[in-house]
Amino acid sequence: MSGGQFVSKCTADAITRAAQQLKAGSLVALPTETVYGLGADATNAAAVARIYEAKGRPADHPLIVHLSEMADISEWADEIPEYAIALARKYWPGPMTLIFTRSSLAQNFITGGQDSVGLRVPDHVVAFALLAEFKKLGGKGIAAPSANRFGHVSPTSAEAVSAELADYLVDGDLILDGGPSQVGVESTIIDCTGSAPRILRPGAITEAMITQTTGLHPAESETDIRVSGSLENHYSPDATVALDCEPELGDGFIALASVPTPDGVVRLASPANNEEFARVLYAALRSADERSLTRVVVHQPSGDDISVAIRDRLLRASRGR
Ligand code: TXA
Ligand code: MG
C-alpha cells in the first residue's frame, strides 16, 4: 500500500489538518482550477526537495509559489511593474502565473537558482481555504508544480494525482479531492521582469486579454528563463499522440463533437467547444493509457482563445517522452 492519504471530503477540519501537515513539512496535493498541484511549504527546503523527488523532476526547474491573495506578492517579489498590477487585479484569483524579480524570501530551492520567482493566486475554494489556513499558521506560500511525474500529463482529478504519485508519497502526506479541474490546462505564465509582459506558456488568459488589460503587446517569448513546460517532450501519455490525421482501426480519437467518429475508432472525448476541450483533454489522454491504446489521434481546435494552449500542449505531447 502506498502513502498519501486520500481526503475525499474537504471539511474545515480536514483543511486545518492539511495546513498543519504542510507546516510540519509534509506534501499536500491540492485542487486548483487549472490542474492539481503537489504542494509544500515554499520556505521549507527539505519539504520542497521532496516535491522534486516525488515528481522525478530536475532540481534546476523552478516552482510556482501559490498565494491566498494578491497583497502577498510583495513578500516574494522585488520589482512589481504597473502592468503586472493591472493583470493581477483583473485575472487573480485565476489561471495566470506572474514571474517577478525575486525577494530574499524566494530561495534557490524554489527558483532553480534563477533571480526570478513565479507567483499565482489560484481560483478554487479548496485551494483558497488551504492557503488562508496555512497563512494563519505563519505560512508564506505553497510551492506547487503540477502533481504528475516529470514529463507526464498533468492531473485534473484527485484520482489522477493518486495514480501518478501515490507510490512516492508517505505517511502524513495528503491528496485533497476538490473535484475535476474546471480549466483543465496549466496557467498562462507571464514574465513580468521586463518593460512589457512576455508569455512564457499559453493558457486560459490569452494574448488578447493581456493586451486589453495592460495596453501593451506581449513580447515574443525569446527568453533565457527556464520553463520546464517548454521542454520539447512534455505532457505526454504512454500512447503515441498523432495530430490532425485520419484515425485508424483501434486508435483513440479526440475531436470536437461536430467531428463524427470513424468506424472502429475509440472515441475518448467529444467536447462541444474549446473551453470544454481544454477541460477534458488530459483525462482523455489518460484514458487512452488506461485502455492500453497505442495511439491517440487528436483533431486540434482552431482559434486564438484557450485553443492556443491546447495546441501548445498537444504539440509537445505529440513529440513523445
Ligand atoms: O496551472 C499551473 O500553473 C499549475 C497549478 C498547480 O498551479 N502549476 C504548474 O506548475 O503547472 P509546473 O511546475 O508544472 O509548471 C510551472 C512552470 C514550469 O515550467 C516552471 O519552469 C515555470 O513554471 N516557472 C516557475 N517559476 C519560474 C520562474 N521563476 N521563471 C520562469 N519559469 C518559471
Ligand atoms: Mg507541470
Side-chain angles (χ1 to χ4, degrees), residues 55 146 148 154 234:
K55 279 187 63 90
S146 54
N148 51 279
S154 297
H234 227 76

Side-chain angles (χ1 to χ4, degrees), residues 34 57 62 66 116 120 145-146 187 189 201 225-229:
T34 57
R57 181 175 181 164
H66 295 70
S116 59
R120 179 161 107 83
S146 54
S187 61
I189 300 181
R201 180 176 71 183
I225 289 182
R226 276 190 306 275
V227 186
S228 74

Side-chain angles (χ1 to χ4, degrees), residues 32-55:
T32 85
E33 80 281 31
T34 57
V35 300
Y36 275 68
L38 179 63
D41 178 348
T43 63
N44 181 334
V48 170
R50 282 204 51 228
I51 289 183
Y52 285 87
E53 210 178 291
K55 279 187 63 90

